[in-house]
Amino acid sequence: MVSFSDNTSLSCPNNPSQAPKFANTFTTRIFSDVAGDITITVDGESFLLHKFPLVSRSGKIRKMFADGKDYNVSKLELVNFPGGPHTFELAMKFCYGMNFEITAANAALLRCAAEYLEMSEDYREENLIARTEVYLNDVVVQSLEKCVEVLCTCENLPPIVEELGIINTCVEAIAMNACKEQLVSGLSTLDCNGESTELKTGSLEWWIEDLSVLRIDYYHKVITSMARIGVRPDSIVESLMHYAQISLKSIGKCQIWNPARPNSNSGTTENEQKTIVEALVNLLPTLKSSNVPLSFLFGMLRMAIMVEATVACRLELERRIAFRLEMASLDDLLIPSLRAGDSLFDIDTVHRILVNFLQQIEDEENEDSGGYESDGLASLGHGSLLKVGRLIDSYLAEIAPDPYLSLQKFIAMIETLPDYARVIDDGLYRAIDIYLKAHPMLSDHECKKLCKFIDCQKLSQEATNHAAQNERLPVQMAIKVLYFEQLRLKNALCGSNGDGFLSQKISSSVPSAAMSPRDNYASLRRENRELKLEISRMRVRLSELEKEQVVMKRGMKEKSGNGKTFFTSLSKGIGRIGIFSGPGGGKRRKPRRSEGKSGRSRR
C-alpha cells in the first residue's frame, strides 16, 4: 500500500460536554455529507465513525451490533485493544479504504488488531488479516533487521501475539538469515587466498549489534534457534558477550566492592538482571564446541554472585572455569566477597573451582585406567596441575594478609591441592609466612598445624636460608629445615646428588606381586608421577648449583691476581657451607625466647 502522506486523525477528545468530531479539515471534507453514527472508545479515547464501513470488514463490531438489544446502538467500548488508540486508528483507516503504509514498526500491531476485530476473509476479500500476513511472510522474514524491529514491537503486545505465531516466525527468520550470512562469509573467505584471516577478523557478524536490543526472552529464543540451525558457536559467544555488556552495564564496580552501599536500581531492575545472567549462562555453548573467554566467565560469575543468581547457575560457571583453570590469572581469582563480616575475598568459590578442577583430572585418569600405557597416563594433566599449583600458591600469598581470613579456610585451600602439584614449596612457604606475619595472635598449636604442610625437602636454597632464620616458625620446623639442608649439602659434597634418596623412593614404591592388576597399575602410575616430580626437583637443584658455580668462576677470574682475596672468598664459601654442618660453623640460629604467643616477634 502507498504511504499515507498527511497526519489524518479519526480521534477526538473524550469530553461529555462536546460531541465527538473529526479534528482534521481533510477528514471533515470527506465526511461532510454523512454524519457519524457511532462512537467507539479505546483506552479512554473516542472515535466518531460510521457503522457501515466497520461492519463490512470487522466481525467483532458486527457481532456487537447484532448482540445489542437496541438496533440504534451509538456507543461501543473496546477493552484491552492491542496497540492502543494509534493502532485502532490505522485499522479504521483500512476499513475506510484510506491509503497508509504497512511497515515493520506496525505490522505486528495491525496483525493483532485485525485478529481482535476479526477482520478475516469471511467478511471481505483481502481483509486486514490477509494483508498483514502477506507483509510478514513475504517482506519481514527476508530481512533480519525487520524481524528484530517486529520483535521489539511485540514486547508491549498481549499474549495473542504469541498465539498468532508472529514471534516464532521472526525468531526462525533471524536464525536462518544469520546462518545464510555465515555461509556467504565463509565462501567469500575461501575466495581470498591468504587474506581469509584478516577478512574474518575484520568483518564480525553485523547482526550481533542488532540482537542486543531484544528483550531477554526473545533473545533467548533467537540464540536457541541459531544453535539448533548451525550458527558457529564462536559467533554465538560473541553475541552473548555483547548482549551482556549492553544489558548489565548498570552494575557498577562500587556495588561489587561495597555491597553495603544502597542500590539505586529498583527491585524490578534487579530481577531483570538476575534473569539476564541466568539466561546468558544457560545459552553458553558446550565446553567442547567453543572456547568461551575466561575473562567473560569470571565476569559472569561475579555478576551471578552479586545478583544472587540460582545455585545451578553459579555452579555451571564454576565448572566451566575449572575446566580451564590453568589458563586463569591471579586477578581472575580475586573475587570480592559480598557477605558482611567475612573475608575480603570469596574463598569458598575459589575452593569449589579448585575441587572441580582436581575432580576432572581424576575423572580423566579413571576413564583411561583400563589401559597399561603408563607413560601417557602418568603425564595426563600433570602440566596443567603444576600450573594450577603455582597459581594457587600465588593466590594464597595474596589473600594471606587479610585479617578476617580464618585459619580453617586458609588450611582448607592448602590441603585441597595434592603434594604432587608442587615441584618446590617456595610459594607455599611464602604464603604461610605472610599469614603468620599478618596473624601474630596464633597459638603455637595453630602455627604447628599450619607449618606441617611445608615439605622441607622441597624448599630451594634461598627459601631454606630464610626459613632457618625465621623466628615466626615453630622451633621444630626450624630444626627440621636445618636437618634436611645439612643432609642435602652432605649428599652434594659426596657426589650422590640425591641418588640415595631417589633410590629409596623407588624401592619404597615397588608394587607388591600380591596386588590386583588394577591396584598394581595405580601403584605404577603413582610411582611414575613421583619419579617425574623428583626429576623436576633435581633439575631445580642442579640449576641452583650451576648458578653458584658461575658466580664462583666469575669471582675467581676477576680476582685471580690477588691470592689473598681468592682465599678469603673461598673461606667465606666454606663458612657458608658450615652453617648447617656443626656447632662451630658460621652463625647459629637465635634461640626461641619463650613458648606461647608472647614469644613470637614480628619481623
Side-chain angles (χ1 to χ4, degrees):
M1 304 182 72
V2 297
S3 176
F4 192 72
S5 58
D6 59 356
N7 296 324
T8 304
S9 177
L10 298 175
S11 63
C12 64
N14 187 16
N15 189 350
S17 63
Q18 181 180 357
K21 61 180 180 180
F22 295 109
N24 189 279
T25 57
F26 177 71
T27 308
T28 305
R29 187 173 65 251
I30 292 179
F31 302 105
S32 59
D33 298 335
V34 182
D37 55 2
I38 180 175
T39 301
I40 298 180
T41 303
V42 178
D43 294 343
E45 190 168 349
S46 299
F47 294 84
L48 180 59
L49 303 169
H50 300 80
K51 177 179 177 182
F52 176 75
L54 303 187
V55 298
S56 63
R57 288 186 178 272
S58 173
K60 184 177 182 63
I61 295 179
R62 180 182 296 186
K63 292 176 183 178
M64 293 176 71
F65 277 108
D67 295 339
K69 296 181 180 179
D70 188 359
Y71 289 96
N72 296 322
V73 176
S74 60
K75 290 184 179 181
L76 295 176
E77 183 178 1
L78 301 180
V79 182
N80 297 327
F81 189 85
H86 176 70
T87 306
F88 178 76
E89 182 177 348
L90 292 179
M92 293 303 100
K93 287 180 179 180
F94 182 84
C95 293
Y96 280 98
M98 303 169 101
N99 291 331
F100 66 93
E101 184 180 6
I102 299 179
T103 64
N106 60 28
L109 300 172
L110 288 173
R111 178 64 184 89
C112 293
E115 188 70 21
Y116 182 91
L117 294 173
E118 301 178 15
M119 301 176 67
S120 63
E121 299 292 306
D122 297 337
Y123 302 97
R124 191 72 174 268
E125 292 183 0
E126 296 185 359
N127 213 344
L128 187 56
I129 290 180
R131 299 294 289 272
T132 52
E133 285 284 354
V134 169
Y135 181 82
L136 289 170
N137 296 328
D138 294 349
V139 179
V140 173
V141 297
Q142 303 300 326
S143 171
L144 189 145
E145 297 95 329
K146 285 185 171 60
C147 290
V148 172
E149 188 174 357
V150 170
L151 285 180
C152 290
T153 61
C154 292
E155 295 178 359
N156 299 321
L157 288 175
I160 189 175
V161 69
E162 189 87 30
E163 300 172 3
L164 295 176
I166 299 176
I167 295 177
N168 290 335
T169 300
C170 293
V171 166
E172 295 297 329
I174 291 174
M176 189 59 65
N177 281 287
C179 191
K180 290 179 181 179
E181 179 69 21
Q182 172 181 294
L183 294 175
V184 171
S185 76
L187 293 175
S188 62
T189 55
L190 291 177
D191 294 337
C192 302
N193 294 325
E195 301 179 358
S196 59
T197 304
E198 297 180 2
L199 181 60
K200 182 179 178 182
T201 56
S203 60
L204 281 175
E205 282 75 9
W206 49 268
W207 48 263
I208 291 178
E209 183 74 24
D210 295 339
L211 296 186
S212 61
V213 301
L214 293 176
R215 201 170 64 185
I216 184 60
D217 52 344
Y218 294 161
Y219 180 79
H220 190 282
K221 293 177 182 290
V222 169
I223 297 299
T224 303
S225 181
M226 284 184 174
R228 185 180 66 254
I229 290 178
V231 177
R232 284 192 300 261
D234 293 340
S235 300
I236 292 178
V237 171
E238 289 287 340
S239 179
L240 294 175
M241 294 172 61
H242 185 76
Y243 191 91
Q245 183 180 6
I246 296 299
S247 59
L248 300 175
K249 62 182 179 181
S250 60
I251 302 180
K253 293 182 179 180
C254 58
Q255 295 175 355
I256 295 179
W257 286 97
N258 186 13
R261 178 177 178 176
N263 192 358
S264 60
N265 297 328
S266 62
T268 304
T269 304
E270 292 178 357
N271 291 333
E272 289 177 355
Q273 291 173 346
K274 177 181 177 181
T275 303
I276 291 172
V277 170
E278 294 173 357
L280 293 180
V281 173
N282 187 37
L283 290 172
L284 289 173
T286 59
L287 289 173
K288 296 183 179 180
S289 64
S290 175
N291 288 331
V292 183
L294 270 178
S295 58
F296 176 65
L297 292 177
F298 275 105
M300 291 299 296
L301 180 59
R302 287 181 171 89
M303 294 291 183
I305 295 173
M306 204 203 73
V307 301
E308 298 181 355
T310 60
V311 176
C313 175
R314 283 177 281 180
L315 291 180
E316 175 63 18
L317 289 170
E318 293 172 5
R319 185 180 69 88
R320 288 177 174 271
I321 292 173
F323 192 77
R324 290 181 292 149
L325 183 58
E326 71 276 5
M327 301 173 61
S329 63
L330 177 59
D331 292 336
D332 293 332
L333 296 183
L334 297 178
I335 303 173
S337 177
L338 301 181
R339 288 178 294 185
D342 200 357
S343 56
L344 297 177
F345 300 100
D346 195 337
I347 314 297
D348 297 333
T349 298
V350 178
H351 183 262
R352 287 194 300 269
I353 293 175
L354 179 59
V355 171
N356 282 331
F357 170 79
L358 297 175
Q359 185 63 41
Q360 289 173 5
I361 295 293
E362 183 179 353
D363 292 342
E364 290 178 359
E365 292 182 352
N366 291 335
E367 288 177 0
D368 298 331
S369 61
Y372 290 91
E373 298 179 0
S374 59
D375 290 340
L377 292 173
S379 60
L380 183 63
H382 187 253
S384 300
L385 190 60
L386 293 179
K387 291 181 181 179
V388 171
R390 292 191 291 269
L391 177 63
I392 295 301
D393 286 347
S394 301
Y395 177 75
L396 290 172
E398 191 70 23
I399 65 175
D402 182 7
Y404 300 101
L405 177 59
S406 64
L407 180 63
Q408 290 75 16
K409 287 189 176 183
F410 192 68
I411 289 179
M413 283 294 301
I414 295 176
E415 63 185 2
T416 300
L417 201 65
D419 294 337
Y420 54 84
R422 297 182 179 93
V423 176
I424 57 176
D425 276 8
D426 286 15
L428 178 61
Y429 167 73
R430 175 172 173 268
I432 291 178
D433 184 50
I434 294 174
Y435 188 86
L436 292 176
K437 184 177 181 179
H439 300 78
M441 301 306 294
L442 292 177
S443 64
D444 290 340
H445 174 72
E446 292 174 334
C447 291
K448 294 178 182 177
K449 183 179 179 181
L450 183 59
C451 292
K452 74 176 183 179
F453 295 101
I454 302 175
D455 188 351
C456 300
Q457 304 177 63
K458 295 167 65 175
L459 293 177
S460 65
Q461 182 68 46
E462 182 181 0
T464 300
N465 294 338
H466 187 275
Q469 305 178 35
N470 192 348
E471 296 185 356
R472 288 185 290 271
L473 299 180
V475 177
Q476 295 84 348
M477 179 69 186
I479 295 175
K480 193 175 181 180
V481 169
L482 293 173
Y483 170 76
F484 282 108
E485 180 62 17
Q486 186 178 14
L487 182 62
R488 187 181 66 179
L489 291 175
K490 181 179 179 181
N491 292 334
L493 292 175
C494 295
S496 62
N497 293 328
D499 292 339
F501 177 75
L502 181 60
S503 61
Q504 182 181 359
K505 282 276 187 180
I506 297 175
S507 62
S508 63
S509 59
V510 173
S512 174
M515 291 183 179
S516 64
R518 184 180 182 86
D519 294 339
N520 195 355
Y521 174 74
S523 177
L524 289 173
R525 189 169 59 187
R526 287 193 299 269
E527 174 193 344
N528 198 354
R529 186 165 53 197
E530 292 177 359
L531 290 177
K532 286 179 179 292
L533 287 173
E534 190 61 33
I535 291 173
S536 300
R537 285 194 290 268
M538 291 175 62
R539 288 175 179 172
V540 173
R541 304 296 188 194
L542 180 61
S543 64
E544 293 177 356
L545 292 175
E546 289 177 349
K547 291 179 181 178
E548 292 182 2
Q549 183 181 10
V550 170
V551 173
M552 293 179 65
K553 285 184 178 181
R554 186 181 299 113
M556 293 174 63
K557 289 181 180 180
E558 292 176 355
K559 301 180 180 180
S560 58
N562 192 341
K564 182 178 179 181
T565 306
F566 168 72
F567 284 110
T568 303
S569 62
L570 182 62
S571 62
K572 288 182 179 180
I574 297 175
R576 184 171 55 188
I577 296 176
I579 292 177
F580 309 103
S581 59
K587 298 180 181 180
R588 296 186 181 180
R589 184 179 181 275
K590 295 180 181 181
R592 195 175 183 87
R593 297 176 183 178
S594 63
E595 297 293 332
K597 301 180 181 177
S598 60
R600 190 177 302 106
S601 62
R602 299 187 180 181
R603 190 168 179 261

